[in-house]
Amino acid sequence: MQRRRTGTIAVVSALGMTAVLGGCGLTGDSGEVTLKLVAADYGDSKANSSQGYWDELAKAYEAKNPDVNVDVTVYSWNDVDRKVREMVEAGEAPDLAQIGAYSDYADQGLLYRADDVLSIPVQANFVSQLSTAGQVNGAQYGLPFAASTRVLFYNKALFDKAGITPPKSWDDLADAAEALEAEGVKYPYALPLGPEEAPAETMQWMLSGGGGYTDDVGTYSIDSPQNVTTFTWLRDELVAKGLTGPVAPGKLDRADAFAAFANGEVGMLNGHPTLMKTASDKGVKYGMVPTPGVEGASRNTLGVTDWMTAFKKNGHQKEIGDFLDFVYNDENVLDFSRRYDLLPVTTSASQTMSTAKEDQDLKPFLDELLLSELYPVGKTSWAAVSADIKKRIGQAVAPGASPKEVLGQIQATAMRAGSAE
């Protein structure tokens, strides 16, 4: 089989991870059936592009199934969702696409349901929160592929210098930020509400205040009293007091916040597993604790997952199902998770990782997964709501702004978008 390679482009996935394009996929005509798979790249260099993972996986599968050829094309996160959309619109949908969203395709009736293609043991093995997030109207169409959670990272050297301990509550966090500011720390608490990370940072804070994007029955509740209280606190206790650094939160992107943390300029911020390597590579000694809540550790945290989807267009239902059962066996799930500092999406692989010595760095994130809540990705309206959050949410914490008014504007967008569902 011939492999083609292209250049590298830095990008960001739905998990909030920096990724790099490593090339195009496998080609060949050795099988009676060819499964076309489009996948996203999770690597941060050409050397660890996801292309390598899929090349190895496809080769191993084809060795056991000589009548099936797996043709894989890997795109950057900047391109993959658009490429799949263009393929679908041209009537050339792939058999499988590992991408950032699934609900629009499910709504159009283009996808196999999970129980159409997966064996019962494989479908039942998904972590329950992730499986539920993959449902539209009670049927699962999105197959979780890679997961992440958030914890609070803090710079140990800066904390020691300020004579403070890791925060457990909002008040602790504000006190720590004031102590760090007094020591001249550039970003006592980095609050990235810029477009790149806005939906994640927003939801993390909403959850810590007992709110969220939706209520218990799944209705948008963006301007709930709990959420208004949360953003009023952020405005008054952090931003107005100059404790979030020289860049306005609405202008601060996650990548810049992470880079500042790795440069020793940030005291605290919410982070996902890839920050561990970024900070360690720069020699920053960091600690991690659960996200602070109103009166102690937050009862819920943000969970994020990307999705595998199976398209009906080419009719390869049996072959798709058999290949996916292979993709989701523990060996392959753990291999992918360990390569890219991600969390397994299956219960059995999660149990293995929770006790494996080599995975202890990821255990704080794994512990949070069972407490996590995900974006309302099963709603076709979520794309419009997420875009509006990116546009507006920074205004909610600006000096003199009205959090209630800004959250109300986003809620109005959500209601309009939701009415079409």
Side-chain angles (χ1 to χ4, degrees):
M1 284 180 276
Q2 181 183 5
R3 292 176 175 81
R4 305 189 304 277
R5 301 286 179 183
T6 65
T8 60
I9 306 174
V11 296
V12 177
S13 82
L15 292 175
M17 298 175 53
T18 300
V20 175
L21 173 60
C24 294
L26 295 164
T27 62
D29 56 3
S30 60
E32 295 177 5
V33 171
T34 296
L35 294 180
K36 294 187 178 297
L37 166 63
V38 174
D41 199 335
Y42 291 80
D44 59 8
S45 69
K46 202 169 186 176
N48 75 340
S49 163
S50 297
Q51 186 68 53
Y53 172 82
W54 287 111
D55 284 355
E56 295 169 18
L57 194 76
K59 183 177 180 180
Y61 181 76
E62 290 167 348
K64 297 179 179 179
N65 300 271
D67 57 338
V68 178
N69 181 64
V70 182
D71 182 343
V72 185
T73 306
V74 171
Y75 292 108
S76 76
W77 273 107
N78 266 355
D79 300 324
V80 66
D81 287 285
R82 175 178 56 84
K83 290 285 189 181
V84 171
R85 184 172 63 252
E86 290 172 351
M87 294 171 71
V88 171
E89 290 173 351
E92 299 174 352
D95 297 285
L96 294 158
Q98 187 269 300
I99 48 182
Y102 67 87
S103 58
D104 282 352
Y105 299 128
D107 189 57
Q108 296 171 52
L110 302 179
L111 302 180
Y112 286 117
R113 299 188 317 187
D115 55 9
D116 289 331
V117 289
L118 296 177
S119 65
I120 292 174
V122 170
Q123 186 180 1
N125 197 26
F126 286 128
V127 173
S128 61
Q129 288 93 331
L130 308 183
S131 180
T132 300
Q135 295 179 3
V136 175
N137 297 324
Q140 185 181 355
Y141 293 90
L143 314 181
F145 183 74
S148 179
T149 56
R150 301 292 198 270
V151 298
L152 185 77
F153 281 73
Y154 65 95
N155 183 309
K156 287 185 173 181
L158 296 180
F159 266 59
D160 288 345
K161 184 178 179 182
I164 54 178
T165 57
K168 296 180 179 179
S169 68
W170 284 2
D171 286 345
D172 292 345
L173 188 148
D175 290 344
E178 289 184 352
L180 291 163
E181 196 270 340
E183 291 292 334
V185 176
K186 188 174 182 180
Y187 294 90
Y189 178 84
L191 182 64
L193 294 177
E196 180 188 344
E197 184 75 341
E201 186 75 10
T202 297
M203 185 169 174
Q204 188 79 348
W205 275 100
M206 285 179 171
L207 291 171
S208 73
Y213 287 132
T214 60
D215 60 21
D216 292 341
V217 295
T219 302
Y220 284 115
S221 58
I222 294 167
D223 61 348
S224 70
Q226 296 94 324
N227 292 339
V228 171
T229 296
T230 294
F231 276 82
T232 300
W233 186 90
L234 283 171
R235 181 197 65 185
D236 295 344
E237 301 302 324
L238 293 185
V239 181
K241 294 181 178 179
L243 303 178
T244 54
V247 179
K251 301 291 186 182
L252 182 64
D253 279 332
R254 179 208 56 80
D256 294 332
F258 276 22
F261 187 85
N263 288 331
E265 299 173 332
V266 175
M268 301 172 281
L269 82 171
N270 288 324
H272 52 64
T274 58
L275 183 55
M276 295 189 298
K277 184 176 187 300
T278 304
S280 295
D281 287 349
K282 288 292 191 75
V284 171
K285 295 187 182 302
Y286 61 86
M288 300 181 294
V289 294
T291 302
V294 178
E295 297 180 350
S298 176
R299 290 179 297 173
N300 300 99
T301 189
L302 170 68
V304 183
T305 188
D306 296 325
W307 303 98
M308 179 70 76
T309 55
F311 284 86
K312 296 178 180 178
K313 174 68 176 178
N314 302 318
H316 297 146
Q317 182 177 354
K318 180 180 180 298
E319 291 82 6
I320 288 171
D322 189 65
F323 177 66
L324 286 175
D325 279 0
F326 180 72
V327 168
Y328 284 106
N329 72 35
D330 278 1
E331 180 181 354
N332 293 326
V333 170
L334 286 167
D335 181 14
F336 187 86
S337 301
R338 287 165 173 162
R339 287 194 194 202
Y340 300 109
D341 287 329
L342 292 166
L343 304 181
V345 296
T346 63
T347 300
S348 56
S350 296
Q351 291 170 343
T352 298
M353 181 173 278
S354 68
T355 58
K357 187 175 181 180
E358 66 184 288
D359 299 315
Q360 288 308 293
D361 285 349
L362 286 170
K363 195 172 187 309
F365 300 93
L366 196 61
D367 291 342
E368 293 294 304
L369 187 60
L370 297 178
L371 303 173
S372 68
E373 291 190 21
L374 282 77
Y375 299 136
V377 290
K379 293 178 174 290
T380 56
S381 57
W382 172 242
V385 175
S386 177
D388 205 43
I389 292 166
K390 293 177 180 181
K391 177 183 177 182
R392 298 180 190 272
I393 197 63
Q395 302 167 18
V397 297
S402 168
K404 184 176 182 179
E405 181 179 333
V406 175
L407 293 173
Q409 292 168 346
I410 300 172
Q411 175 71 11
T413 295
M415 297 305 289
R416 286 194 300 270
S419 66
E421 291 180 317

